Amino acid sequence: PLQLDCDHCAIISNSGQMTDQKVGFEIDRSSCIWRMNNAPTKGYENDVGKRTTVRVVSHTSVPLLLKNPEYFFKETNSTVYVIWGPFRNMRKDGNGIVYNMLKKTVDSYPGANIYVTTEKRMGYCDEVFRKETGKD
């Protein structure tokens, strides 16, 4: 299980709304900085900061990370990646397309800190989403 010691978190979305906000220094003062999907930091440090503690990535965004593996898994090797997605993509029996991509990534970048959600946890999150939005 992933364990973090955070007392003040910054959660940064991957929308363009951070452009020209000049809050990078303030964001980097947080003990843990969570980013979504493949939101860039390089070139945007003044607006979004340069540190990333955890990057939460949808199964659909994994291929976008893999377009620039040197940056995501080598340059920023202290980042913890939490990948979520449906069981059919995340299964560990050789048939999970996304899981297989992640396995190859760890083989190429052994220092990569990649976690995947369990089927049980994903089911829980799906249920919360359904209850809150009424959508599947």
Side-chain angles (χ1 to χ4, degrees):
L2 175 61
Q3 295 186 6
L4 298 171
D5 185 22
C6 302
D7 62 349
H8 185 256
C9 294
I11 300 174
I12 313 303
S13 76
N14 57 340
S15 75
Q17 293 178 346
M18 297 301 295
T19 305
D20 296 326
Q21 296 299 309
K22 308 279 189 263
V23 293
F25 178 76
E26 184 179 341
I27 290 169
D28 280 340
R29 289 186 3 203
S30 301
S31 58
C32 289
I33 301 164
W34 293 65
R35 297 188 190 276
M36 305 302 157
N37 296 314
N38 64 322
T41 55
K42 196 180 245 182
Y44 300 92
E45 294 87 350
N46 287 337
D47 295 322
V48 300
K50 59 184 174 185
R51 293 181 44 241
T52 303
T53 311
V54 177
R55 189 174 285 274
V56 179
V57 181
S58 160
H59 63 106
T60 58
S61 292
V62 168
L64 298 174
L65 292 181
L66 298 180
K67 284 184 176 184
N68 194 358
E70 286 287 312
Y71 172 72
F72 285 110
F73 301 111
K74 190 173 184 183
E75 285 182 46
T76 59
N77 65 355
S78 63
T79 299
V80 172
Y81 291 84
V82 177
I83 315 296
W84 63 272
F87 176 69
R88 68 181 180 279
N89 293 338
M90 306 304 288
R91 55 193 299 167
K92 300 175 186 177
D93 63 359
N95 293 315
I97 295 169
V98 174
Y99 184 83
N100 292 343
M101 285 191 265
L102 295 171
K103 181 85 171 89
K104 286 180 184 176
T105 301
V106 170
D107 290 344
S108 298
Y109 300 92
N113 296 307
I114 301 175
Y115 291 80
V116 296
T117 55
T118 63
E119 184 179 6
K120 181 179 178 183
R121 178 55 62 184
M122 199 62 232
Y124 170 78
C125 293
D126 285 344
E127 185 59 29
V128 169
F129 184 82
R130 267 191 293 279
K131 286 179 179 177
E132 289 185 1
T133 67
K135 297 179 182 179
D136 192 358

